[in-house]
Amino acid sequence: MPQLDGGGGDDLGANDELISFKDEGEQEEKTAENVSSERDLDDVKSSLVNETENNSSSSDSEQAGSHRRPQHHIPDWESYVRQREFVAEALRRQQHDSGMFKASLYAGYPLLMIPDLGNLANLGHLGNLGNPYLSPGVLSPGTRTYLQMKWPMLDVPGTSALKDPRSPSPAHMSNKVPVVQHSHLSPFSPLLSYSPDRFPPQTPPPHLSADTGLPPTPHPAELSPYYPLSPGGIGHMTHPLGWLQGQSMYGIPAGGFRPSYPAALAMNSSMSSFVSSRFSPHMVPPPQTSVPHSAIVSTAIKQEARDSNQHGRCAVSMGDREEEKKPHVKKPLNAFMLYMKEQRPKVVAECTLKESAAINQILGRRWHTLSREEQSKYYDMARKERQLHSQLYPGWSARDNYGKRKKRKRDGRPETAPEGQITHTQSAAPEEHFSPQLKKSYSHLYPPINDELPSCHAPVPASLPRH
DNA sequence: GTGCCTTTGAAGGTA
DNA sequence: TACCTTCAAAGGCAC
């Protein structure tokens, strides 16, 4: 795995990514020859897919040669670093002025809490500081707010494990944040959009510091490889997730989150946003007091609860009521979903498409054109997402969400051949399987003869075999 | 107003 | 173990 530097201890438990790549016929341990042949294979695959997009002016360099260029991120790195430094400086001043936290204690701690982020947000263009993660109205003056920071953002001694310098990303790939984003949303922060519901402010329990809201004792045993702590340097620090797991800030029961959602969620909001430094080198400063974890969605469950009540409140048992109280905890996003969230705005801008079905097809093809390094970034993000999710919701299971949605109709499309069923993961050219509905929607993009894919640029011939 | 479409990946269930 | 199903995001569209 390219992003896995074996030395830093940074990427423990990356097996999922290995599996993911292996699933695509790529093995982590390969000889140079194998790598070469693999590259050839990838190039073939890439060239096939890129036929649709190479004709654009923007993809001149995205040729089927032996090198693929990173598609979007590198140009953004400088601006990102500048902004990061600016924010870091602002935070240092904030720390110095407010004395809210000691650098020695929180250095490298991805979560910083300041009493009033509004002041910080007023620092000129810092209004965009948390922007990818800031929902309008989330910040309010006087609200104690967490600032989410990623390790490289702070000058942390002993962060050698942060990243292998050979890594494609100087800090960590997951720290990159696409600059081309809508200012009001983050491609990697579904957390902020999951639920507008707020939970009542709660008072931190006595065992937590009144100033920081953090527990006084660390949980070194629960340190995540993604938030490495140097034993000698900052080993005394509380792991960002440590206090979340064992002694939740606002009291996640030891057995899990289920029995007391609101309390747990109040904590989860800040934690999720913070640990969901996931993917953000900036900050994710949702109010500590109210915004639940992104994975918590209220609408669906509310709807269900409403329906359930309509069916007869008398029949609702206590257990059912507890069920109704359950917030809908969404699944963590997988690598491709993260990729889509990041890239969708770009595709929309490039292709002037808005319909997600078509965009997703384009993105699905672009996904396959990504190099391993590029994909590994998203696998890494997804792994963090899952780790965070599992720690935020220890008792959650994907099965909990089964049936929350209406069952998808599967008879709408022609069945694939019985033998060797073509699934969405191994289908032929996607345009071949464009539903009549989608084609109809894009009739203006479908030349009547060619029946083309609504791609940005030159479409792939329908007969083009695809991996 | 609700579900479908469309993608990949993760996870749970089943044979 | 292999295969199948469901869900995660997104927004236009059809009903």
Side-chain angles (χ1 to χ4, degrees):
Chain A
M1 193 56 55
Q3 85 283 14
L4 298 180
D5 59 285
D10 184 20
D11 289 298
L12 303 177
N15 294 335
D16 51 348
E17 294 177 27
L18 289 173
I19 292 173
S20 297
F21 280 113
K22 286 175 181 177
D23 286 344
E24 295 194 356
E26 299 174 354
Q27 300 291 330
E28 176 59 22
E29 304 295 338
K30 290 192 172 185
T31 64
E33 304 160 354
N34 288 338
V35 170
S36 174
S37 60
E38 175 189 315
R39 281 180 175 273
D40 293 338
L41 188 59
D42 284 347
D43 292 338
V44 170
K45 180 177 71 175
S46 174
S47 63
L48 291 177
V49 178
N50 284 344
E51 278 191 40
T52 57
E53 295 158 7
N54 275 348
N55 290 342
S56 71
S57 59
S58 63
S59 57
D60 291 343
S61 60
E62 191 174 350
Q63 297 173 356
S66 58
H67 296 86
R68 292 190 195 91
R69 60 165 174 79
Q71 291 183 325
H72 313 285
H73 303 290
I74 290 180
D76 299 338
W77 182 249
E78 277 191 21
S79 60
Y80 153 62
V81 170
R82 282 197 297 271
Q83 184 179 18
R84 194 185 66 178
E85 291 173 351
F86 184 89
V87 171
E89 176 59 24
L91 283 170
R92 288 192 199 99
R93 294 179 181 179
Q94 186 81 13
Q95 295 176 38
H96 182 269
D97 294 340
S98 65
M100 284 294 292
F101 33 79
K102 307 282 188 290
S104 61
L105 176 62
Y106 293 97
Y109 199 92
L111 172 65
L112 298 179
M113 185 168 59
I114 60 176
D116 186 354
L117 189 64
N119 295 338
L120 193 58
N122 287 336
L123 295 177
H125 57 283
L126 267 186
N128 200 32
L129 129 96
N131 72 8
Y133 307 97
L134 275 180
S135 295
V138 165
L139 290 180
S140 60
T143 301
R144 174 179 288 183
T145 309
Y146 286 106
L147 282 182
Q148 178 185 17
M149 310 189 70
K150 196 62 180 176
W151 290 93
M153 191 167 188
L154 302 177
D155 299 328
V156 182
T159 54
S160 58
L162 276 177
K163 209 55 194 171
D164 188 327
R166 296 164 298 180
S167 171
S169 167
H172 195 288
M173 294 176 114
S174 62
N175 292 336
K176 290 182 185 176
V177 159
V179 174
V180 182
Q181 292 178 12
H182 292 174
S183 60
H184 60 284
L185 57 85
S186 163
F188 298 138
S189 64
L191 298 179
L192 296 180
S193 59
Y194 277 5
S195 171
D197 291 357
R198 303 299 170 87
F199 293 87
Q202 304 201 16
T203 304
H207 68 279
L208 298 181
S209 165
D211 289 338
T212 65
L214 298 174
T217 55
H219 299 268
E222 299 169 351
L223 298 184
S224 162
Y226 296 97
Y227 302 92
L229 294 179
S230 169
I234 52 179
H236 63 285
M237 287 172 43
T238 300
H239 181 259
L241 294 179
W243 55 271
L244 141 76
Q245 210 170 13
Q247 48 178 131
S248 59
M249 183 174 174
Y250 288 166
I252 286 184
F257 68 96
R258 295 168 189 256
S260 58
Y261 278 110
L265 296 178
M267 180 282 301
N268 289 340
S269 62
S270 57
M271 275 310 301
S272 67
S273 59
F274 126 57
V275 187
S276 74
S277 60
R278 59 178 181 171
F279 332 146
S280 172
H282 309 286
M283 297 138 206
V284 180
Q288 169 201 355
T289 53
S290 54
V291 179
H293 185 279
S294 63
I296 300 162
V297 163
S298 59
T299 54
I301 195 70
K302 282 179 180 174
Q303 180 66 42
E304 286 202 350
R306 224 173 22 241
D307 295 343
S308 176
N309 287 337
Q310 290 174 352
H311 292 151
R313 299 173 67 177
C314 299
V316 177
S317 66
M318 291 299 292
D320 292 338
R321 288 180 182 175
E322 297 229 348
E323 283 289 318
E324 293 175 9
K325 290 178 182 177
K326 282 185 182 179
H328 183 64
V329 178
K330 291 192 174 184
K331 293 176 65 175
L333 303 187
N334 62 39
F336 180 71
M337 287 294 155
L338 293 169
Y339 171 76
M340 280 209 308
K341 289 201 76 166
E342 182 189 64
Q343 297 297 323
R344 177 183 302 278
K346 298 177 182 177
V347 173
V348 170
E350 293 173 8
C351 308
T352 62
L353 283 175
K354 288 186 176 180
E355 188 155 340
S356 292
I359 294 172
N360 291 350
Q361 286 198 345
I362 295 171
L363 288 172
R365 297 162 70 167
R366 288 191 180 184
W367 172 256
H368 290 293
T369 70
L370 293 181
S371 66
R372 294 176 62 190
E373 287 78 12
E374 289 169 321
Q375 284 191 350
S376 70
K377 175 180 65 176
Y378 297 97
Y379 283 115
D380 193 36
M381 293 174 182
R383 181 181 54 186
K384 291 179 181 179
E385 184 80 3
R386 291 194 301 274
Q387 288 182 340
L388 169 64
H389 194 278
S390 65
Q391 292 184 325
L392 288 176
Y393 314 106
W396 182 87
S397 167
R399 197 184 191 288
D400 295 350
N401 291 357
Y402 276 29
K404 303 288 185 185
R405 282 182 169 183
K406 292 282 185 179
K407 219 171 187 180
R408 298 186 63 179
K409 206 165 69 175
R410 294 191 168 275
D411 54 359
R413 286 183 295 174
E415 291 290 327
T416 53
E419 72 280 4
Q421 176 185 7
I422 299 177
T423 67
H424 61 277
T425 57
Q426 55 181 351
S427 62
E431 59 273 25
E432 289 181 344
H433 303 287
F434 256 34
S435 66
Q437 179 183 2
L438 191 60
K439 287 183 176 179
K440 182 180 178 182
S441 300
Y442 283 94
S443 56
H444 63 290
L445 294 171
Y446 279 102
I449 297 178
N450 293 333
D451 194 28
E452 292 171 339
L453 173 74
S455 171
C456 289
H457 314 295
V460 172
S463 59
L464 186 66
R466 275 182 54 79
H467 151 72

